[in-house]
Amino acid sequence: MAIPADRIYSLEGRGLKLTTAEDFAPYLLELRDFENLEEVRLNGNTIGAEAAKALAEVLKTKPTLKVATLHDIFTSRLKDEVKESVIAICEALGSLPELVEVNLSDNAFGPLGAEAMAPFLSKQTNLQVLKLNNNGLGIQGGTTIAQALIACQAACEEQGKTPALHTLVCGRNRLENGSAPEFAKAFAALGSLREVRMPQNGIRPEGISQLVEGLANNKLRVLDLQDNTFTHVGSQALARSLAQWEALELLNIGDCLLGAEGGRMVIEALKDRKTLKTINLQYNEIENDGAIALSESLRALTVLESLELNGNRFDAEGDAVELIKAVLSENDLDEILGSLSDMEELTDDEEEESESESKAEAEEPTSAVKADEQLADLVDEMKKQLSI
């Protein structure tokens, strides 16, 4: 949300240590006198419980406030003190009718902070953007936040309102599989989400499946699940849900261990997402057949602006990449492919296994051999179509 500069009060990055009400007094006087306030930025300072309570009293007098930027404001504070501060600030924010965005990222308040926020989140039916990145929530804290979102949806229903929340950022929180069922329920209940970012949470295939299935009825534009673990199970669930997200613009599933089969399933589902602008598939053990399938899917993705494939298991100078580059060129997208400088190679054991399989196939034709022959035919056919 773009707020005019003359409606923003900022102490951003000042490094102030505001422990008592007296410490905060000169700044709170400025804030109290600030007319038509729409955003407050206090990030990059450290606020104690007494100072937070004084801040809360001033915030209550600001009914025009829309955005509260409060990330990284509790450095060096004790957990109980932080909980007390979060309670005071959230109670104040809950009284503001125009509030639509809250950023409390980079505050290591853990499950206690989530518990302190829950009453606010449960009732804040106008909230559109919630940013809780790197808060140390863990399974318990994540579950608490998800349950609060479910309660908020119920409150919206009671009031005859459509849920307002469209953006959730909740990365680097060690949410793991344990919190996935409640988040999945929250996502399915809300149905209003447009942007979800949950990277680096240690979520494994079962949890990923639950999350993407919960998100299926939301009209997503942005999905970032980087650095979690999909494998075949999570990839299959994602491929199914991709069919529902007709407005998807960004998909970041780099470092997610899709695997050869899982990668191909996701890639084949991408061909129907013609709105995609950014795709990150890095470091996913995608192999040659997946890369060839990608060249086919890319034909429909004519508005793509960025494509990241580094760290996968196909030759950076092989036929598959040649096909990908040719398709991109055909769509006038020559410059969007990222570096392929760190492509993964087969280990010695894997090479020996591959050689053994090749010998066996040479002695007795199998369906795998036929599949390889069909793949080679497809490459030749695509090369002819693309004149390469």
Side-chain angles (χ1 to χ4, degrees):
M1 174 178 291
I3 303 292
D6 62 353
R7 299 195 175 187
I8 300 171
Y9 179 78
S10 178
L11 295 176
E12 185 173 14
R14 298 275 292 273
L16 301 171
K17 188 172 184 179
L18 306 170
T19 301
T20 66
E22 287 74 20
D23 294 334
F24 219 159
Y27 307 106
L28 293 180
L29 182 60
E30 294 175 352
L31 183 58
R32 189 180 294 276
D33 292 340
F34 200 106
E35 296 182 357
N36 300 314
L37 179 70
E38 294 189 13
E39 181 177 358
V40 59
R41 297 178 182 173
L42 302 178
N43 53 296
N45 302 287
T46 177
I47 301 174
E50 185 183 332
K53 291 174 184 177
L55 169 64
E57 292 305 312
V58 176
L59 290 177
K60 290 175 183 177
T61 69
K62 300 297 175 182
T64 58
L65 186 67
K66 295 179 180 179
V67 179
T69 303
L70 305 172
H71 59 280
D72 187 22
I73 62 169
F74 298 128
T75 300
S76 79
R77 303 295 176 178
L78 299 176
K79 288 184 178 180
D80 289 341
E81 184 181 16
V82 172
K83 180 179 179 180
E84 198 174 343
S85 299
V86 173
I87 289 172
I89 291 171
C90 285
E91 283 181 353
L93 295 177
S95 68
L96 305 178
E98 299 295 323
L99 187 73
V100 294
E101 179 174 334
V102 174
N103 184 353
L104 277 163
S105 298
D106 301 317
N107 292 309
F109 47 53
L112 287 176
E115 183 182 334
M117 290 186 67
F120 162 73
L121 292 177
S122 298
K123 300 173 184 176
Q124 200 65 23
T125 57
N126 292 329
L127 193 66
Q128 297 177 14
V129 179
L130 177 61
K131 298 179 180 180
L132 294 173
N133 200 61
N134 191 31
N135 294 115
L137 295 177
I139 294 172
Q140 181 183 342
T143 299
T144 299
I145 295 298
Q147 290 172 343
L149 296 179
I150 293 170
C152 183
Q153 187 277 333
C156 288
E157 192 170 336
E158 288 177 7
Q159 298 171 26
K161 298 169 61 174
T162 300
L165 188 69
H166 60 68
T167 297
L168 175 66
V169 179
C170 198
R172 299 181 64 191
N173 273 305
R174 297 305 304 176
L175 299 176
E176 302 181 1
N177 277 11
S179 67
E182 292 303 309
F183 271 110
K185 290 177 187 176
F187 296 161
L190 288 166
S192 58
L193 292 165
R194 304 291 178 268
E195 178 174 342
V196 173
R197 297 181 184 268
M198 301 178 75
Q200 299 179 8
N201 271 306
I203 305 170
R204 299 189 63 78
E206 181 183 355
I208 290 294
S209 298
Q210 292 168 333
L211 293 180
V212 296
E213 287 167 4
L215 286 167
N217 70 328
N218 292 263
K219 297 179 181 179
L220 282 188
R221 293 181 182 175
V222 173
L223 180 61
D224 181 356
L225 292 173
Q226 183 173 11
D227 200 9
N228 292 290
T229 304
F230 281 54
T231 69
H232 176 274
V233 173
S235 299
Q236 187 174 47
L238 176 61
R240 288 195 299 265
S241 292
L242 276 167
Q244 308 299 316
W245 301 327
E246 296 180 354
L248 192 67
E249 296 181 5
L250 182 150
L251 179 64
N252 183 357
I253 47 172
D255 300 277
C256 284
L257 195 64
L258 304 185
E261 187 177 357
R264 180 159 185 162
M265 284 191 294
V266 171
I267 283 167
E268 289 176 347
L270 293 179
K271 65 179 180 294
D272 296 321
R273 296 284 63 86
K274 298 179 182 180
T275 54
L276 274 166
K277 295 180 180 179
T278 301
I279 301 174
N280 183 356
L281 292 169
Q282 292 187 119
Y283 300 96
N284 275 315
E285 297 190 355
I286 297 169
E287 298 185 357
N288 202 59
D289 60 340
I292 293 171
L294 178 60
S295 68
E296 185 67 27
S297 291
L298 285 172
R299 290 183 168 189
L301 307 185
T302 57
V303 298
L304 202 60
E305 297 174 358
S306 175
L307 175 63
E308 298 294 342
L309 300 174
N310 206 13
N312 283 297
R313 310 184 78 173
F314 50 87
D315 187 349
E317 298 179 357
D319 282 346
V321 172
E322 190 177 352
L323 288 172
I324 288 169
K325 289 180 177 179
V327 172
L328 292 176
S329 179
E330 188 179 57
N331 290 341
D332 294 323
L333 302 174
D334 301 76
E335 306 299 323
I336 70 165
L337 180 61
S339 170
L340 299 176
S341 62
D342 192 30
M343 303 302 283
E344 186 179 348
E345 297 180 1
L346 293 176
T347 65
D348 291 341
D349 289 343
E350 288 169 330
E351 286 180 351
E352 288 177 8
E353 183 179 346
S354 178
E355 288 173 2
S356 297
E357 289 174 354
S358 296
K359 289 177 181 178
E361 289 165 357
E363 294 170 2
E364 183 176 349
T366 65
S367 59
V369 174
K370 293 179 181 178
D372 287 343
E373 291 173 350
Q374 290 172 351
L375 194 59
D377 291 342
L378 174 61
V379 171
D380 290 340
E381 180 62 27
M382 290 185 68
K383 282 185 174 183
K384 290 177 182 177
Q385 291 177 11
L386 296 166
S387 301
I388 59 174

